[in-house]
């Protein structure tokens, strides 16, 4: 006869309970990947011990994820590059086309930009939507974190590109376009003969 443990569960029952707990913890890790491992284990352990329900576990992890993503998005940065937020795993071909079109345009324009795929990050997607008041993708910001300013969605940005005004448009939001090195010339006193060229 198997010996009972302190919580009244026999061997097979205990193993089944532990397997269920492990499965639940793995599913929470997959759903809330931003939460540190130690924090996630602690919250799930409280559920295993009967202190909180699974619904409460999800509420805690969701609140923690929102806080982490918000802190990451609003952290200060001196960078004044363009941030292009896109999605690469959507069934909507029109959205895929718009994301690819802006990426190609930015490459051709040699903009200093960073592409961020928000496909698997619904929390960042929610933060972007809250800040921009726009639910569609792609979205264009200038600057990262707390310094980031929403410049526009696809239609307005593409219009500025077509009008040849994209540089002035983005600079209005603080974008600093990398300049090519310029050559400087030094002439003799008469100004007629070049004696040195620097770069």
């Amino acid at each position: 006869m198997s010996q009972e443990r302190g919580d009244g569960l026999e061997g097979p029952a205990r193993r089944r309970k532990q397997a269920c707990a492990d499965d639940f913890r793995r599913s929470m890790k997959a759903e809330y990947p931003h939460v540190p491992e130690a924090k996630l284990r602690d919250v799930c352990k409280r559920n295993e011990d009967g202190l909180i329900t699974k619904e409460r576990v999800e509420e805690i992890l969701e609140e923690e994820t929102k806080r982490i993503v918000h802190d990451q998005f609003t952290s200060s940065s001196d960078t004044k590059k363009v941030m292009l937020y896109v999605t690469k795993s959507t069934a909507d071909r029109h959205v895929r086309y718009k994301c690819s079109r802006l990426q190609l345009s930015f490459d051709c324009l040699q903009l200093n930009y960073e592409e961020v795929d928000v496909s698997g990050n619904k929390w960042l997607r929610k933060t972007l939507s809250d800040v921009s008041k726009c639910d569609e993708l792609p979205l264009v910001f200038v600057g990262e974190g707390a310094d980031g300013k929403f410049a526009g969605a696809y239609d307005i940005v593409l219009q500025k590109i077509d009008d040849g005004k994209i540089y002035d448009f983005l600079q209005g939001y603080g974008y600093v376009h990398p300049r090519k090195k310029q050559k400087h010339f030094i002439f003799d006193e008469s100004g007629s003969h070049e004696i040195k060229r620097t770069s």
Side-chain angles (χ1 to χ4, degrees), residues 91-139:
D92 191 329
R93 63 185 180 88
H94 296 293
V95 173
R96 292 199 307 271
Y97 169 78
K98 289 179 179 180
C99 292
S100 298
R101 174 71 185 277
L102 281 192
Q103 181 186 21
L104 179 60
S105 297
F106 285 3
D107 285 340
C108 292
L109 291 165
Q110 297 184 331
L111 292 178
N112 178 23
Y113 82 98
E114 179 179 343
E115 181 188 69
V116 180
D117 183 7
V118 301
S119 302
N121 194 333
K122 64 180 181 181
W123 311 108
L124 178 56
R125 179 76 178 268
K126 178 67 166 56
T127 300
L128 291 171
S129 178
D130 291 343
V131 173
S132 66
K133 309 301 180 186
C134 183
D135 293 328
E136 63 184 88
L137 288 172
L139 295 174

Side-chain angles (χ1 to χ4, degrees), residues 4-189:
E4 292 188 355
R5 306 297 178 88
D7 58 2
L9 292 176
E10 296 182 351
R14 173 181 289 275
R15 287 193 292 273
R16 284 195 297 271
K17 180 183 178 182
Q18 187 59 52
C20 289
D22 292 342
D23 287 343
F24 179 66
R25 185 168 60 251
R26 282 192 291 269
S27 68
M28 291 298 96
K29 180 61 178 176
E31 180 70 16
Y32 305 99
H34 296 84
V35 178
E37 183 70 24
K39 175 72 174 181
L40 186 138
R41 284 184 175 276
D42 177 67
V43 175
C44 289
K45 183 65 167 58
R46 290 163 62 189
N47 169 253
E48 293 175 35
D49 294 341
L51 301 177
I52 58 176
T53 64
K54 290 184 176 180
E55 288 75 15
R56 181 56 185 154
V57 169
E58 295 193 57
E59 289 175 359
I60 293 173
L61 296 180
E62 181 170 336
E63 291 169 2
E64 181 69 6
T65 298
K66 288 180 179 178
R67 183 191 65 76
I68 292 171
V69 172
H70 181 270
D71 288 349
Q72 290 175 344
F73 185 75
T74 57
S75 60
S76 182
S77 172
D78 293 331
T79 304
K80 290 298 182 182
K81 62 184 173 183
V82 174
M83 303 298 296
L84 175 60
Y85 294 95
V86 303
T87 177
K88 295 187 175 181
S89 59
T90 174
D92 191 329
R93 63 185 180 88
H94 296 293
V95 173
R96 292 199 307 271
Y97 169 78
K98 289 179 179 180
C99 292
S100 298
R101 174 71 185 277
L102 281 192
Q103 181 186 21
L104 179 60
S105 297
F106 285 3
D107 285 340
C108 292
L109 291 165
Q110 297 184 331
L111 292 178
N112 178 23
Y113 82 98
E114 179 179 343
E115 181 188 69
V116 180
D117 183 7
V118 301
S119 302
N121 194 333
K122 64 180 181 181
W123 311 108
L124 178 56
R125 179 76 178 268
K126 178 67 166 56
T127 300
L128 291 171
S129 178
D130 291 343
V131 173
S132 66
K133 309 301 180 186
C134 183
D135 293 328
E136 63 184 88
L137 288 172
L139 295 174
V140 176
F141 282 71
V142 175
E144 298 178 271
D147 296 326
K149 296 179 181 179
F150 175 58
Y154 175 80
D155 291 337
I156 187 171
V157 175
L158 186 64
Q159 185 62 56
K160 295 299 180 181
I161 293 174
D162 291 342
D163 291 344
K165 299 179 180 179
I166 188 63
Y167 294 111
D168 290 340
F169 173 71
L170 294 175
Q171 286 169 0
Y173 290 93
Y175 171 67
V176 179
H177 188 63
R179 297 180 181 276
K180 294 181 179 179
K181 290 185 177 181
Q182 297 181 347
K183 296 183 181 297
H184 300 278
F185 302 92
I186 300 177
F187 295 88
D188 61 15
E189 292 182 357

